[in-house]
Amino acid sequence: MNVTQQRALDRQVMGWLDEAHTRILKRLDQHFHVSTKDGARDLVTDVDRETEQFYVGKIHEYNPHANILSEEGYGDAVSSLAGQVWFVDPIDGTMNFVTEHAEFATMLAVFEDGKPLLAWIMDVVNHEVIHGGPELGIWQNEQVLATPLNRDLNEGLMILSGYRLLRGEMALPEIARQALGFRIYGSAGISFMHVLRGQAVGYLSAMRPWDYAAGIVLAQSLQLRVGRVDGQPIDVLQSGSVVVATPSTYASIMTIEQSN
Amino acid sequence: MNVTQQRALDRQVMGWLDEAHTRILKRLDQHFHVSTKDGARDLVTDVDRETEQFYVGKIHEYNPHANILSEEGYGDAVSSLAGQVWFVDPIDGTMNFVTEHAEFATMLAVFEDGKPLLAWIMDVVNHEVIHGGPELGIWQNEQVLATPLNRDLNEGLMILSGYRLLRGEMALPEIARQALGFRIYGSAGISFMHVLRGQAVGYLSAMRPWDYAAGIVLAQSLQLRVGRVDGQPIDVLQSGSVVVATPSTYASIMTIEQSN
């Protein structure tokens, strides 16, 4: 897909996101059903399922041959990055969606034969979308997003996973201690947006493919570093503990992880 | 001060906040000087000082006899709640202000002979103000704010102080474990706003008078519970570990604190 085709696809998906924004905000004013998946803190709602079905329908209309890896199971069983593969997280931060009616995201990413093409993260309530890719550049809505300043861990905010910090996993307490400050937001999408805008120096959490696929496409296009905390290469079809950070912060975190 | 006078004062202070909003956002686009107070994480900027001087000027114009307890020292040495006492926090969440250019607040509260009258918390970037008092009722901008649902700790989000959680103080790890979820935002004002809107079931942190004076006036007017975690009565001239929560969450937290 050349850059002209990418630009056209970006415009098309921005239209899907406008429609999703309207649908999701309307659903917030209505009754929706909340249930649990894997434990009391892993929530899913009708709106997660409806929104995923909406995206899956749009993607299949755009490309009937696309493979879709999605959170709620309306996509495909994807075992390879051959061809065009989409990652879909309809409502990221469902607990925030349910309890706050705010601070949740919707995320899409598309790869072609393993190569990241384009990605989109929308802060739904604020209707802010960070989008683009390595060839198209990165935008927040209509504005070009610059590469964040290369601040180190002790010069900025680090965003962490709450319960993993509490359990002392992945050296998170030591990372928190060395950071200028740390925050817990409860949504991977909202956390990635803070790092992409340079509001935080990094984000570290255990994530599933749809939690981080869009984020790492956008981050790498902005010269941020992404990797697994165990030092293994990222396989975007696999879950893992993933860090995204400025180059300096990434180095500091990896030093902490290796001495852990 | 009767309700009509309170309504007039509320309108007047909303005008000050509009002006402060414009001034602070303009300063975000310019260079400002950052220095530290009590340690590397206790930041202060020119904008904190200028904004405090702006409020102190407005308050003295409104009432030359008012006593002002304020963060940056342009107010008075207040040792009693006799007469009219104002609490001023010009930029609450200065680290967020500096690193994120977002998620910070400005807070004002006024007491008369120890009785809470009115308070204001503004999320500056979003230009959202929660304001009012026990007699006037509570509003977000022009919209009446309802008493939040009385959800328990395990049914909602609890907002905590990051470094105190990390050090295991005030039973915060146990509170975090029992909550449905927990968040760290780094601004007392932004945290109070989440509880006042019913987006979180509670907030607990070690706070100074200007960090919590406005928040507890607004919270009590919405039938939320406020108190010190050590069970002592709140003296708004003193620093302390303060909790604001729904009645159910408050009871659950106090049970945890007492068995700590």
Side-chain angles (χ1 to χ4, degrees), chain B residues 30-41:
Chain B
Q30 302 167 343
H31 177 77
F32 54 84
H33 184 74
V34 183
S35 50
T36 57
K37 294 190 288 188
D38 185 21
R41 290 174 176 135

Side-chain angles (χ1 to χ4, degrees), chain A residues 21-73:
Chain A
H21 170 259
T22 305
R23 283 165 173 262
I24 295 169
L25 289 200
K26 193 191 247 174
R27 289 295 269 126
L28 272 180
D29 290 332
Q30 301 167 343
H31 177 79
F32 54 82
H33 184 75
V34 183
S35 49
T36 57
K37 294 190 287 188
D38 186 19
R41 291 176 175 131
D42 190 12
L43 307 180
V44 63
T45 73
D46 300 342
V47 188
D48 295 75
R49 294 191 199 95
E50 291 161 18
T51 306
E52 182 167 307
Q53 287 174 304
F54 166 77
Y55 289 133
V56 167
K58 291 290 186 190
I59 294 166
H60 277 153
E61 217 171 89
Y62 166 75
N63 178 4
H65 305 293
N67 283 310
I68 304 173
L69 186 58
S70 57
E71 178 162 21
E72 311 305 343

Side-chain angles (χ1 to χ4, degrees), chain A residues 40-41 95-96 99-100 102-103 151 157 162-163 165-166 173 176-177 179-186 194 198-199, chain B residues 40-41 95-96 99-100 102-103 151 155 157 162-163 165-166 173 176-177 179-186 194 198-199:
Chain A
R41 291 176 175 131
M95 192 185 288
N96 289 354
T99 59
E100 295 193 59
E103 298 179 276
R151 288 182 293 163
L157 299 178
Y163 286 97
L165 172 69
L166 209 56
R177 273 188 287 271
L180 180 63
F182 70 98
R183 301 288 178 257
I184 298 173
Y185 296 134
H194 278 78
Q199 295 179 305
Chain B
R41 290 174 176 135
M95 191 185 288
N96 289 355
T99 58
E100 294 192 61
E103 298 179 278
R151 286 182 294 164
E155 300 172 314
L157 299 178
Y163 286 98
L165 172 70
L166 209 55
R177 274 188 286 271
L180 180 63
F182 69 98
R183 302 287 178 258
I184 297 173
Y185 295 134
H194 278 77
Q199 295 178 305

